[in-house]
């Protein structure tokens, strides 16, 4: 993770400089395939609307994507992975709710991702972000470490 971030920051290749925002949202640069998978998921949902049993396909695609995101965990921040997976799961539940006219379930599926976001606001920090901050702090202290001097780092996790 950190090695790839350093390589992206130090590169002179224009293609990599241009794709830095896309590549930096994933834990590993090789996980950029998730962007393609999410676009294919959106196309599959839109294309299945005209089918007679569209709700079954919507449930299958949504559950499949929820499981894929939850198991692969491609995003740099775990909060994004959790929210993406839960949103796909809620989309599957919303399909069931619309078929059976369960208004309460449809409303619950709309509120659930927002509740997760509110829960995540309590502790917006993750170990990956902490590692990144430690690395940034060490970069400024690198000359001292190379001379063999003692240095002290003070980095805390953010909690509300």
């Amino acid at each position: 993770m950190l090695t790839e971030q350093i390589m992206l920051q130090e590169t002179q290749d224009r293609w990599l400089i241009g794709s830095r925002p896309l590549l930096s949202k994933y834990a590993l640069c090789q996980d950029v395939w998730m962007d393609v998978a999410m676009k294919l998921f959106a196309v599959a949902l839109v294309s299945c609307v005209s089918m007679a049993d569209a709700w079954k396909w919507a449930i299958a695609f949504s559950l499949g994507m929820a499981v894929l995101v939850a198991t692969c965990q491609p995003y740099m921040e775990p909060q994004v992975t959790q929210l993406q997976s839960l949103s796909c799961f809620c989309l599957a539940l919303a399909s069931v709710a619309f078929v059976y006219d369960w208004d309460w379930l449809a409303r619950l599926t709309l509120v659930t991702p927002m509740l997760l976001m509110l829960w995540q606001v309590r502790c917006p920090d993750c170990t990956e972000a902490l590692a990144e901050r430690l690395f940034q702090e060490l970069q400024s202290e690198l000359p001292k470490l190379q001379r063999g001097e003692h240095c002290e780092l003070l980095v805390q996790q953010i909690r509300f």
Side-chain angles (χ1 to χ4, degrees):
M1 171 185 80
L2 287 176
T3 306
E4 289 181 351
Q5 294 297 325
I6 293 168
M7 289 173 56
L8 282 175
Q9 289 174 359
E10 294 176 353
T11 187
Q12 299 300 321
D13 185 11
R14 289 182 180 194
W15 186 85
L16 285 176
I17 291 171
S19 62
R20 190 180 299 155
L22 174 68
L23 294 174
S24 63
K25 75 178 180 181
Y26 296 102
L28 298 172
C29 291
Q30 69 187 18
D31 289 336
V32 77
W33 62 269
M34 184 54 75
D35 224 39
V36 175
M38 289 304 294
K39 304 247 185 291
L40 289 174
F41 167 63
V43 168
L45 279 180
V46 170
S47 66
C48 78
V49 168
S50 61
M51 296 179 185
D53 54 353
W55 66 277
K56 293 177 186 175
W57 286 103
I59 291 170
F61 290 144
S62 299
L63 287 179
M65 188 52 94
V67 168
L68 180 68
V69 171
T71 56
C72 292
Q73 299 181 355
Y75 297 106
M76 178 72 94
E77 298 177 7
Q79 293 93 336
V80 177
T81 300
Q82 294 165 357
L83 187 61
Q84 190 75 33
S85 182
L86 181 71
S87 296
C88 290
F89 182 72
C90 286
L91 188 58
L93 284 178
S95 297
V96 171
F98 293 141
V99 167
Y100 293 107
D101 291 326
W102 293 339
D103 294 338
W104 61 271
L105 184 59
R107 289 186 181 115
L108 184 66
T109 60
L110 291 173
V111 172
T112 304
M114 288 182 263
L115 292 175
L116 177 63
M117 283 179 25
L118 288 174
W119 177 261
Q120 289 175 344
V121 165
R122 273 186 342 96
C123 183
D125 210 2
C126 62
T127 54
E128 289 82 0
L130 182 62
E132 182 70 28
R133 285 197 312 278
L134 279 171
F135 176 74
Q136 295 297 331
E137 192 72 28
L138 274 174
Q139 286 292 90
S140 63
E141 300 292 329
L142 193 58
K144 281 184 181 179
L145 290 172
Q146 287 174 339
R147 290 190 302 261
E149 296 178 16
H150 178 73
C151 89
E152 188 174 323
L153 299 178
L154 190 63
V155 180
Q156 297 176 346
Q157 275 196 312
I158 300 171
R159 293 191 186 277
F160 293 110

